[in-house]
Every structure is written in structure tokens, then in C-alpha cells.
Amino acid sequence: MLTVQPGEIEVEERWYESDPTMRFKIALPFNAETGNKDSAVGYFEVEPGNALPTHTDSAEEILLCLEGRVKVTLGNERSQISAGEMALVPAMVPHALRNGGTETVRVVGFFSRVMVESTFEQPLMPSGQRIFSTPSPE
């Protein structure tokens, strides 16, 4: 059985070169490489004043806020979720997360497919690519 402690997940930083507040950390603790067949999990951290920028995902996602309070933009809707709350993000609906608080926000995204393609409005650094994908099944 694969188990993961959120505080021990090794995250990678991503950002927009044109906007220093569009900065977040991400990891994919459950994906095709870990043996998942039908789903994937993303783990995100957003520091105060920063955001996970607007993007679309090719699969439905359920967000679970583990710590903090995050402002969620989903299409034209704006709301927020706090620790212990969840939100549904339909596939291909533009969405973003912004941390307007004073503590790091930690969020888990549960995806309905093992293959997920996230498309951002601008290239993400350090790769310089607009598309971020889960690993392919072998």
C-alpha cells in the first residue's frame, strides 16, 4: 500500500515570469507511475499573496483544502474554501486559487482520470511550457 504524509511530499515550484505573485508548489503523489489506473492526485501549496494561476484541467477535479483559506475562481464564479472544505471543478472550466491570507494554503486535488493535462494562460517556469501533464501509463 502506498501512503503519503502531506507535510513530507516533495514539491516543485512553478511560476509565471511576468507576474511574481503567480507562484505555487506542486507534486503528484498518486499517478500512473505510482500504479494508479483510474485516478490521480495533485498536492498544491500557495504562499500568502501568491496564486495558482488560471488554467483548465482535462479531467474533473475535487479540491480539498487541508490548511488555510483560499479564494477560488471557477469560470465567472468566485468563492473561497477553508481547511476541511471541498469544491468541485468540472473538466475544462478555467479556475485559479489565490491565497489572500497570512498562512500557507495546502490543497489536494483529486482527479477523475489518471491522465490529466493542465493548460495555463502563460508558460510556467522553469520549464517554459504552458501544459503540465501527469505521467503517462506505461
Side-chain angles (χ1 to χ4, degrees):
M1 175 187 325
L2 177 62
T3 62
V4 175
Q5 289 290 333
E8 297 174 5
I9 295 173
E10 192 173 318
V11 293
E12 297 178 359
E13 194 161 24
R14 302 275 191 265
W15 65 93
Y16 279 178
E17 203 166 47
S18 65
D19 184 346
T21 67
M22 296 296 157
R23 181 176 295 267
F24 63 100
K25 296 175 185 171
I26 185 170
L28 297 168
F30 295 97
N31 60 71
E33 289 180 339
T34 60
N36 286 49
K37 303 286 184 227
D38 300 312
S39 62
V41 174
Y43 171 77
F44 313 94
E45 294 180 357
V46 183
E47 299 293 330
N50 290 342
L52 190 161
T54 301
H55 64 285
T56 59
D57 296 318
S58 62
E60 181 177 88
E61 178 181 19
I62 295 174
L63 300 172
L64 169 61
C65 185
L66 298 176
E67 293 181 24
R69 176 180 294 158
V70 64
K71 296 175 185 175
V72 180
T73 301
L74 178 65
N76 294 324
E77 296 179 59
R78 295 180 196 273
S79 189
Q80 66 180 5
I81 57 173
S82 300
E85 294 182 316
M86 295 186 282
L88 172 66
V89 179
M92 302 309 295
V93 174
H95 59 286
L97 306 176
R98 177 166 292 282
N99 183 351
T102 58
E103 62 181 305
T104 300
V105 167
R106 291 177 173 79
V107 176
V108 176
F110 300 91
F111 292 100
S112 62
R113 294 189 199 129
V114 72
M115 285 298 304
V116 181
E117 189 173 274
S118 301
T119 304
F120 290 81
E121 294 176 330
Q122 296 181 31
L124 287 173
M125 302 319 258
S127 69
Q129 302 294 317
R130 289 182 52 230
I131 298 173
F132 182 82
S133 299
T134 56
S136 301
E138 296 181 314

